[in-house]
Amino acid sequence: GGRTLITCYVRYVVNLEEIDAFREYARIWIDLINRLGGKHHGYFLPMDDDKSASHRRGFSFSGMGSEGPKDIAVAVFSFPDWAAYDFYRSEAGKQERCKEATEIVERTKCFTSYERSFMTPIFG
């Protein structure tokens, strides 16, 4: 029983030369999702190698871990249920800000592909 929290995880392959355009795109979608009934948990962008290089060595499970690609960004957002998600999907394309975000991607190619997964959270 009860409502199921719908969490959407989006993994982008970003064009690092257009990361500022991707940031602009991300800010638009954070606002849109929050205004259309969702809760955006943020975008997570690749870290600068110079600052993170010293923390990249060693993995908790020997022989299982590997370094991930350096051109991946992630977005995570949730909706209280499928009805709220469906409302967002039906309304987002009508918003001027959505058209603005689409234009940024078409103009700059700030990401080259993305994958979307639906998940349900486990909280402590």
Side-chain angles (χ1 to χ4, degrees), residues 1-6 80-82 120:
R3 288 154 54 110
T4 301
L5 188 66
I6 307 302
D81 53 33
W82 285 114
T120 190

Side-chain angles (χ1 to χ4, degrees), residues 35-55:
R35 282 196 297 112
L36 292 173
K39 167 69 176 133
H40 209 295
H41 309 294
Y43 278 79
F44 302 85
L45 306 182
M47 289 195 76
D48 179 272
D49 279 349
D50 294 341
K51 295 174 186 162
S52 61
S54 64
H55 297 282

Side-chain angles (χ1 to χ4, degrees), residues 46-111:
M47 289 195 76
D48 179 272
D49 279 349
D50 294 341
K51 295 174 186 162
S52 61
S54 64
H55 297 282
R56 292 180 188 265
R57 57 183 175 271
F59 290 92
S60 297
F61 298 97
S62 181
M64 291 174 63
S66 63
E67 189 66 35
K70 294 175 179 34
D71 61 351
I72 299 301
V74 171
V76 180
F77 52 92
S78 297
F79 287 87
D81 53 33
W82 285 114
Y85 178 79
D86 290 341
F87 172 79
Y88 147 75
R89 291 285 295 175
S90 70
E91 292 298 312
K94 302 173 189 174
Q95 304 291 316
E96 196 56 42
R97 297 282 281 159
C98 179
K99 295 174 182 126
E100 185 181 336
T102 300
E103 192 276 328
I104 290 168
V105 176
E106 290 172 349
R107 177 174 42 84
T108 68
K109 308 292 189 244
C110 60
F111 65 89

